[in-house]
Amino acid sequence: MRHDGRPDKLVSVVVPCFNEAEVINATHARLRGVLSATGLDWEVIYIDDGSRDGTLELLRSIQTLDPQVRLIALSRNFGHQEAASAGLEAAAGDAVVLIDADLQDPPEYIPAMLERWRDGVDVVYGQRQARAGETYFKRASAGVFYRLMQQLSTTPIPVDTGDFRLMDSRVVDAVLAMPERDRFLRGMVAWAGFRQEALRYQRDPRFAGESKYPLRRMLRFAVDGLLSFSLVPLRLGVYLGLIASSLALLGILYSLVLRLFTDVWVPGWTLLFIAVLFLGGVQLLFLGIIGEYLGRVYWEVKRRPLYLVKERRGFPPSDSEVES
Ligand code: UDP
Ligand code: MG
């Protein structure tokens, strides 16, 4: 129904914020400017992901001044993907835009995304053309990661695509209906299908402050994405096992032939040593990989909530939890 003609409706913008005190006022000013110019109804939903630098206080005052702002404060730092999920859940829009708080994803692209949405595209994802102001290491590691995902994932996930995207509400509903704890949103949205198109954009440097994804978190995120969308690492065990046993078979044949048809004995220790070390190594590696998957299954079966909310402001009064 929404697709025939697509009358102008509500746009929600979801902004996860963790320690973004230095940028948040600038972010809101730019978002407000862009959104007012669209002529559509809009709301901005800020999610404070347990910031410790006064971001929440700033968000409260932004919310007090601007009735189109909604604020959700999580009870602690849950992580970017969880904060974004909280925002998607609260978004009432017919189209929902997910954007970082640090102005790396320029809000000025939102009208172009809305344009495509009005033409019937369900997901318009930002695809980075350039990543200004990011270290060579970050760009290189991201490049490797996206290409590895491309190879291994059961769902094709577009390369160089972060979370900056517009989604039709039916895609948002689809993503929210996915019960997994392990949230790799860009993969989940890709999995949902519908009509998805890329919007090429220039990624700016962070406006202020520093990245909240240090190397350790980035690795964690990459492993999460990989394991939740691919079983290839598990299957590697089969291949390596095959290779190891073929090698062992060759060794056995070789020593048997020597023993039966010649007077030479195989000098056993070296071979034995190598075989034991190799097999032991392979087994430990795959115990580890199985452990990674098993651990995830364990988290999933616990069924803990994704996040806990400690404060909600600015939501329409029909919402039972609203505070004033
Ligand atoms: N973020 C969050 N919770 C976290 C880490 C980050 O809500 O635990 C937010 C952060 O405020 C920003 C977005 O996620 O709006 C992306 O984070 P960041 O810019 O630090 O990542 P990068 O762009 O360096 O990958
Ligand atoms: Mg950033």
Side-chain angles (χ1 to χ4, degrees):
M1 186 172 87
R2 192 167 292 121
H3 276 255
D4 42 30
R6 250 182 188 155
D8 292 346
K9 289 182 170 173
L10 178 68
V11 185
S12 305
V13 178
V14 169
V15 194
C17 312
F18 175 55
N19 292 346
E20 301 286 9
E22 290 170 80
V23 300
I24 202 65
N25 282 321
T27 305
H28 186 63
R30 254 169 84 181
L31 275 175
R32 158 163 269 294
V34 167
L35 290 169
S36 325
T38 61
L40 299 178
D41 271 348
W42 55 271
E43 62 173 2
V44 181
I45 303 173
Y46 290 102
I47 302 90
D48 175 62
D49 187 16
S51 300
R52 290 178 284 266
D53 69 342
T55 301
L56 180 56
E57 289 68 29
L58 289 172
L59 286 174
R60 284 196 191 115
S61 54
I62 291 175
Q63 194 279 319
T64 318
L65 294 175
D66 195 335
Q68 273 151 306
V69 170
R70 331 247 176 265
L71 169 60
I72 299 174
L74 303 186
S75 61
R76 63 170 171 83
N77 179 240
F78 281 89
H80 180 203
Q81 303 289 299
E82 287 74 8
S85 300
L88 294 183
E89 201 138 349
D94 301 284
V96 180
V97 176
L98 183 56
I99 191 169
D100 282 357
D102 59 1
L103 293 173
Q104 276 195 290
D105 310 321
E108 289 71 24
Y109 286 94
I110 293 176
M113 291 179 157
L114 286 167
E115 200 65 44
R116 303 266 200 104
W117 173 64
R118 276 198 217 97
D119 293 340
V121 182
D122 296 291
V123 176
V124 188
Y125 54 86
Q127 194 163 40
R128 301 155 183 162
Q129 225 159 10
R131 298 163 73 106
E134 288 189 292
T135 60
Y136 172 76
F137 176 74
K138 176 123 187 179
R139 277 176 294 151
S141 56
V144 169
F145 169 65
Y146 288 118
R147 272 139 200 98
L148 196 68
M149 274 309 280
Q150 184 92 341
Q151 289 301 312
L152 299 187
S153 164
T154 45
T155 310
I157 298 175
V159 294
D160 299 329
T161 300
D163 286 314
F164 182 34
R165 58 185 64 227
L166 176 145
M167 290 167 272
D168 184 75
S169 60
R170 57 184 183 164
V171 176
V172 175
D173 291 345
V175 167
L176 292 176
M178 297 180 199
E180 62 224 70
R181 309 300 79 186
D182 202 352
R183 311 295 282 183
F184 187 64
L185 284 174
R186 56 196 80 165
M188 295 160 73
V189 172
W191 185 91
F194 298 102
R195 199 171 145 199
Q196 311 215 357
E197 280 181 14
L199 178 84
R200 310 277 285 163
Y201 78 108
Q202 307 280 339
R203 191 153 156 98
D204 285 342
R206 197 170 229 290
F207 182 79
E210 56 194 31
S211 173
K212 310 301 180 291
Y213 271 102
L215 183 61
R216 218 167 43 101
R217 267 181 112 153
M218 235 162 67
L219 274 176
R220 185 85 250 144
F221 182 61
V223 172
D224 273 351
L226 208 60
L227 298 200
S228 55
F229 278 87
S230 174
L231 291 180
V232 174
L234 267 182
R235 288 198 191 113
L236 273 180
V238 178
Y239 301 134
L240 269 180
L242 274 179
I243 293 174
S245 33
S246 322
L247 284 178
L249 198 67
L250 282 182
I252 291 169
L253 285 178
Y254 173 69
S255 39
L256 271 183
V257 167
L258 282 190
R259 179 77 188 84
L260 293 176
F261 302 111
T262 71
D263 291 336
V264 198
W265 291 70
V266 172
W269 294 116
T270 325
L271 209 60
L272 199 68
F273 224 75
I274 293 175
V276 167
L277 280 184
F278 178 64
L279 277 178
V282 168
Q283 283 175 347
L284 278 182
L285 177 66
F286 283 94
L287 271 181
I289 293 181
I290 292 172
E292 280 288 315
Y293 280 97
L294 183 67
R296 269 147 236 272
V297 173
Y298 179 59
W299 283 127
E300 294 291 341
V301 297
K302 281 190 194 233
R303 309 225 62 85
R304 287 202 183 136
L306 271 184
Y307 54 84
L308 293 177
V309 172
K310 70 173 177 194
E311 180 179 332
R312 283 164 67 91
R313 284 172 186 240
F315 287 91
S318 59
D319 200 317
S320 54
E321 289 168 88
V322 103
E323 283 186 11
S324 51

